[in-house]
Structures are given as structure tokens and as C-alpha cells.
Amino acid sequence: MQDQSYVEVMPPQPQAPPPAPWGIRALAGGFALSILLYLLGSLLGALLIRAFGLEKSPYLGVVLGLIQFSMVLPPLFIMRRYGSLVTLLGLNRFHWRMLLETTLAIALGFSGSILWGLFLLPFGLRPQEPIVPLFGQGIGSFLAVFAVGAILAPIVEEVLFRGFLFAGLRKYLNLTAAVLASGALFGALHFQLYAFPVLFLLGVLLALLYYRTGSLWMPILMHFCINAVAIVAQYYAYQNGLI
């Protein structure tokens, strides 16, 4: 008789997440409400920053962090009605092969960013204005911008654009259309004209990575790596008077 006292548990294999269970009204309404909260929060935040003199201060991170957090509330509230967020977003899934695909996506993302930056260089343009100088000098300012830009932003934006928007679009569009539409919205809603091509590319890569691995951890990791490198590079350049 076979000994059944030991059962080998294999990690879940990478596979595409199923289309989202939420309907088109919930998708459109939740996404529109997220953007509305972002716009209203940005307006209110600008008034608070000016009123309390938070320019070039680490406390700027508190205001920006609250604005980002408000964006993710509508999709979280909607998704929670359809089951566990951990299961819906694939946060309970991990396989070592996911890291290989994530590494490839990160390499493609960095390559696209560098090439686009080099393309703009002769025109005296830059894809995005550096964010680090807005927080001022010092280690406290660096920690604030890193927390907001490299930790909170990837989580919020991946939940909104990949976990909620892309997953919802897949229910009504084919894969290619869902990837392109979510990537375009991701790029456009950063409101950075010269950065749109590279942000669109990143949005496409992040959506494909989520589809390929079935785990939101992987696009969060990719998003973190790209933002973290950019912030550290900006901080070094700012401290040495290069920007």
C-alpha cells in the first residue's frame, strides 16, 4: 500500500487570470470615479501645499500619498464585492518562472525608456520632469519620495490599471485590444506628453506580464524596479547639482 503520509505540494504554475467578474458599468464607473478622485485630490493637494508651504519638504509625500490612496478605493470596493482580493488579483500565486518573465519585461522597459530619452535629447526635451527636487534636500526627503514613487505608486497603479481596468476590459475585448487600451489609458493619465510613448510601452508590458503570470505581484515588482531606479538616479543627480 502506497504511503500517503507525504504529499508533495507544487507551486502554482503561471497561467493567465480569468476575465474579471465585474460588469461594464462597474468597470466604467469605478475607473471614472478613481480618476475624478485623483483630479479633485490633486486640486485640493495643490491648495494645501501652497497654504502650508510644503514645497521642497518631505511632508509633500503625505499629501501625494493620500491622493494616490484615494484613487485605489473605488476599484478595491468594487472588487471586494466579487470575492477575496488576494484571489482575484492572483496575490496568492508565485512560481519561479514568473521572475524570468518579469526580468525580461524589466529589461525591455528600461531599454525603451533609454532609447526614447536618447531620441528626445537632440531636441532639448526630456520625457518627464524630475520629481525628486520637489521634495527638497536631505535623507528625509529622499525617503518620502521613494515611499510615494517607488512603493505606493506601483501598488496603487497596478491595482487600478492592471488588476481592475485591464482585467475588466478582457471580459469585453480580445487580448490585444485590452492590452493596448489599458496601456494607452495608463500613458495618457500620467499627463506627460513627451513621456506618453514610453509610458504606453510600459503599460503594455505590465499588462502582458500580468496576463502571462496571473499574479499582480509581478507587475508590481516590475513597476517598483523601474520607479526605484529612476528615483535613485534623480536623487544622485540632484545631490550633485546635475539637475
Side-chain angles (χ1 to χ4, degrees):
M1 183 176 181
Q2 186 179 4
D3 182 12
Q4 298 182 348
S5 61
Y6 170 76
V7 177
E8 183 178 7
V9 179
M10 296 295 293
Q13 299 293 314
Q15 63 181 30
W22 44 91
I24 189 66
R25 291 178 61 184
L27 176 65
F31 188 73
L33 184 56
S34 291
I35 302 306
L36 179 61
L37 288 174
Y38 171 74
L39 295 174
L40 292 177
S42 298
L43 177 60
L44 178 60
L47 295 176
L48 290 174
I49 291 168
R50 179 172 298 180
F52 292 96
L54 301 180
E55 301 90 346
K56 295 188 177 298
S57 163
Y59 294 108
L60 180 62
V62 177
V63 177
L64 298 183
L66 289 174
I67 294 172
Q68 288 185 336
F69 181 72
S70 69
M71 286 179 62
V72 82
L73 292 178
L76 287 178
F77 177 78
I78 291 171
M79 288 188 290
R80 186 63 185 86
R81 295 168 54 192
Y82 292 91
S84 166
L85 292 174
V86 171
T87 303
L88 285 172
L89 298 175
L91 297 176
N92 56 344
R93 298 174 49 78
F94 180 81
H95 189 276
W96 67 269
R97 287 199 322 222
M98 297 177 182
L99 294 178
L100 296 179
E101 298 200 24
T102 302
T103 301
L104 175 60
I106 291 173
L108 291 173
F110 275 125
S111 299
S113 299
I114 293 171
L115 290 174
W116 182 244
L118 292 174
F119 173 79
L120 292 179
L121 193 60
F123 303 100
L125 302 173
R126 61 178 69 180
Q128 291 177 292
E129 292 299 318
I131 188 175
V132 168
L134 299 178
F135 288 74
Q137 299 274 359
I139 189 63
S141 296
F142 170 74
L143 293 176
V145 68
F146 193 87
V148 172
I151 298 176
L152 184 58
I155 295 173
V156 167
E157 292 181 7
E158 292 315 306
V159 170
L160 175 60
F161 286 98
R162 258 60 67 178
F164 181 68
L165 176 64
F166 169 67
L169 290 175
R170 279 192 57 223
K171 188 174 182 179
Y172 302 97
L173 304 174
N174 60 43
L175 176 61
T176 301
V179 167
L180 294 177
S182 62
L185 286 170
F186 175 73
L189 291 173
H190 276 76
F191 303 106
Q192 298 278 349
L193 178 61
Y194 297 122
F196 176 80
V198 71
L199 289 170
F200 171 69
L201 171 64
L202 291 176
V204 167
L205 291 172
L206 289 163
L208 288 174
L209 185 61
Y210 182 43
Y211 176 80
R212 292 277 303 174
T213 64
S215 172
L216 199 69
W217 285 125
M218 297 303 106
I220 288 175
L221 175 60
M222 174 183 171
H223 205 146
F224 163 80
C225 290
I226 289 178
N227 284 16
V229 169
I231 288 171
V232 170
Q234 285 184 24
Y235 182 75
Y236 175 82
Y238 185 50
Q239 292 295 104
N240 288 275
L242 300 177
I243 58 175

